[in-house]
Amino acid sequence: MDALLDFAGQFLSQFQSPTLSFLLGGALLAAFGSKLTIPNPVYQFVVFVLLLKIGMKGGVEIREANLLAMLLPAVFSVVTGLLIVLLGQAVFARLPGIRREDGLATAGLFGAVSASSLAAAIVMLEEQGIAFEAWVPALYPFMDIPALVLAIVLATRHRQQAEGEAGDANGEPTPRKVDTWAIVKESLQGSALSALILGLALGLLARPESVLQSFYEPVFRGLLSVLMLVLGMEAWSRLRELKAVAHWFALYALVGPVVHGLIAFGLGWIAHHAVGFSPGGVVLLAVIAASNSDISGPPTIRAGIPWANPSTYIGASTSVGTPVAIALCIPLFAALGKLVFGG
Amino acid sequence: MDALLDFAGQFLSQFQSPTLSFLLGGALLAAFGSKLTIPNPVYQFVVFVLLLKIGMKGGVEIREANLLAMLLPAVFSVVTGLLIVLLGQAVFARLPGIRREDGLATAGLFGAVSASSLAAAIVMLEEQGIAFEAWVPALYPFMDIPALVLAIVLATRHRQQAEGEAGDANGEPTPRKVDTWAIVKESLQGSALSALILGLALGLLARPESVLQSFYEPVFRGLLSVLMLVLGMEAWSRLRELKAVAHWFALYALVGPVVHGLIAFGLGWIAHHAVGFSPGGVVLLAVIAASNSDISGPPTIRAGIPWANPSTYIGASTSVGTPVAIALCIPLFAALGKLVFGG
Amino acid sequence: MDALLDFAGQFLSQFQSPTLSFLLGGALLAAFGSKLTIPNPVYQFVVFVLLLKIGMKGGVEIREANLLAMLLPAVFSVVTGLLIVLLGQAVFARLPGIRREDGLATAGLFGAVSASSLAAAIVMLEEQGIAFEAWVPALYPFMDIPALVLAIVLATRHRQQAEGEAGDANGEPTPRKVDTWAIVKESLQGSALSALILGLALGLLARPESVLQSFYEPVFRGLLSVLMLVLGMEAWSRLRELKAVAHWFALYALVGPVVHGLIAFGLGWIAHHAVGFSPGGVVLLAVIAASNSDISGPPTIRAGIPWANPSTYIGASTSVGTPVAIALCIPLFAALGKLVFGG
């Protein structure tokens, strides 16, 4: 009982953290009709600096890390990404009036990872003094890319089967191959993964410690607060789009992040006992799984499943999924971590 | 005599401060025809960060402040804002060839407050080690909004009377109501007041101290220097507009800030003796009164008094009023503060 | 032999420095087709902050410097800038199929100075603990302006002679005067030299130390890393332009920087023995000479020699000259400095 009360207290107190309070502030500003905006070039640069810093820090750490310790969490990241898409496929197939491609596109985005949720989770764990291995953010692509690839492959195969049954004008089946490597490459070329991987490479192969300490680390929290403000404004202004989306998508976007996070939390718990994965790492892995790709994922999905309706997957992810991941799931899994692992 | 010499010395030495020297540098660059520019998205972001920081700092301070101590200065801020507009109305009514609406629009802007002058004054007081209550910048909206509202109300009432006397096509008077709440709301929605109030709310209700210390405070002076540079360039390039404006507006813009600052200085002096308002607070209140709204005010005035000629009030405020407020009034009232209160 | 091995080691180890690794990282990103970009307004602001800081730091130092000590290096800077253009004229005149104006325009750019190479060299010397007089970066305009002016004057005189020999429609020679002052003024008005000179003036005449320490110095290395990334991406994406350029220009761009740097290194060595110019200053002077103007020079050259083909001089400078200056010449002359002066 005490533990549950403590859990509730932990959960609520986090809304005063800079990260969550800026997110709420942004939403309130937008609700009030404020004309305040963060100019887009500044926003792009903010995201770049955050991801580069996360990557560099991870790369520097991996240099000295025990690569074997990373192996199991990396495998579990791939598994989580694939599971989320398969689970989404099964759920949407059972719901009425959902086109298969829209469900798969949405599940793909929710299996993919949000750079902003990741950055927010890192800062919030640091604020609460919860330690984690600095290479955990490097698990990002291990979950992100398999989820996007699987969603596109499944959607394409489903379309082929439908076309195959229908036949083309001459009744001949029209075979179409999915170019998996092209999907992977497109993911890696996107600005979010590019920045993260550039940072990883610099951290691994060069000696960027001086510039990390003098610039990227000091500005990190400040720029994150700016990003949270933008995400809050964005979430509010997209709420209208949500009304246009079938209510099942909204429900999925509300419940999915918690379920996905719990899957990853469970796998992380196994890794904790098997290879000593840190409690902070388990929490971070759960947040990565709970997040959905709001920046780099949508273009990949749009290119890969062009026959899906973007208002379903973008509406579900930006207006509900991201706020739920940041404002609900980060405090939730941080508190759950304390409950399960003590602290 | 010694005091006067000291006053003059104090006044002149401030032109080597980073704040004023960047303002002069910007004006010289523009005079020399330099192609150097600060890109607009960067400029907008700079203003946002400055105001958010001022607001947050104020909010954190108000949390622990004696609210009673704030009451009298807040009332005096409202009084000053209203007095400046009424004084402006009386002055312009006595000058030849000035349309009533142009005079009121200009007086409204000069009663309103400039975020950049405020930021400049804060840094210059800190540089000289003059202490002030951190909630003083939060007096901004108490002076800004009443001044804008009063100017728009007076201009609208004057137009109604004129139309009432003339009658409409059928000889009927055409009543028109001023929507005061709409003016207040529009002021608050403007980007400057939005950022300030967001900061205040975060400082009051959340715990933004960590991000304040790690980001917003360290970058404050640097970004202010960038803002001063832009204001200097802007002031020079607007000087041409000034020629198009009747010379009475230029004279008002030159003398007004000093008179307005003296009014607030006098009221602040009363608050000093009545409730212990700090000498630095008195100086800051005088600078707030001396400043005119160069960013957020013009759109509000343009929407509220659309029949006034923008080249009068914008020319007067940007090209003369702001440089006078920053380069003349800040050193003036800082030196006056030392003269009156010692230190 | 040991010295040579040490030289090679010194040279190679610098590729792990933040500066060079970000340059390489940018080129690799572009080669991989990444969609990551640094928005242009941010890029402009980054260059502005870097140059302002270099100028301010130089100005503060000159305030207390022995002006006589600066005299010889300043004279040598002018000499180097002029020599590079004359040498380029002689070389291109001996190569087949090169139009005189294209050769002179290219030589002018390579005699002029690159702000980004200068900033990169400053940070790399600091990283290796090589001291230099803080006024050395202020030698920039002493080399930059004479080179641009001489190239434009020579190209214009050559055109006049050609036209004079050909005569105009009536067989009359058409005299045209070169407005040297206009060229100088245009150089000074360019955004790069404007920012540098503004910084110098603020450092010399005002007291910007507080803002230098609280903002411009802490962000310097971080913003330089961003600039290097942009330069790397730019260099790669311009490689295609290079193919369109006659191979002689590519060869000049590859070999020229080393030769130009060696000239300045030799003159700097004389100044070292004559007036005690520091070894770090000699290295920096060599890098200034090795660099070519990739930001501010091209518009000046285009305005001054409009009949030259921009793809020759811009292709040669951006795609080959700048990467060679930063990635080859900085490590080269730093290592040469250690070899010659010990350390």
Side-chain angles (χ1 to χ4, degrees), chain C residues 14 30 38 44 46-47 51 90-91 101 104 136 142 151 156 169 222 227 234-235 261 265 274 276 290 304 322:
Chain C
Q14 297 183 49
I38 302 298
Q44 282 176 44
V46 163
V47 172
L51 288 173
V91 166
E101 57 266 33
L104 276 166
V136 179
F142 289 93
T156 308
L227 177 63
E234 187 85 347
F265 195 94
T322 297

Side-chain angles (χ1 to χ4, degrees), chain B residues 17 32 51 66 91 102 214 232 240 254 267 307 325:
Chain B
S17 76
F32 183 65
L51 288 173
N66 176 0
V91 166
D102 294 344
S214 74
R240 272 173 238 145
L254 201 67
L267 292 171
W307 60 97

Side-chain angles (χ1 to χ4, degrees), chain B residues 223-239:
Chain B
L223 296 185
L224 180 73
S225 72
V226 174
L227 177 63
M228 288 298 116
L229 199 68
V230 175
L231 287 182
M233 296 193 279
E234 187 86 346
W236 184 269
S237 65
R238 291 276 173 127
L239 267 185

Side-chain angles (χ1 to χ4, degrees), chain B residues 274-296:
Chain B
V275 297
F277 194 37
S278 72
V282 176
V283 171
L284 209 48
L285 186 67
V287 173
I288 291 176
S291 77
N292 64 89
S293 181
D294 47 4
I295 296 176
S296 55

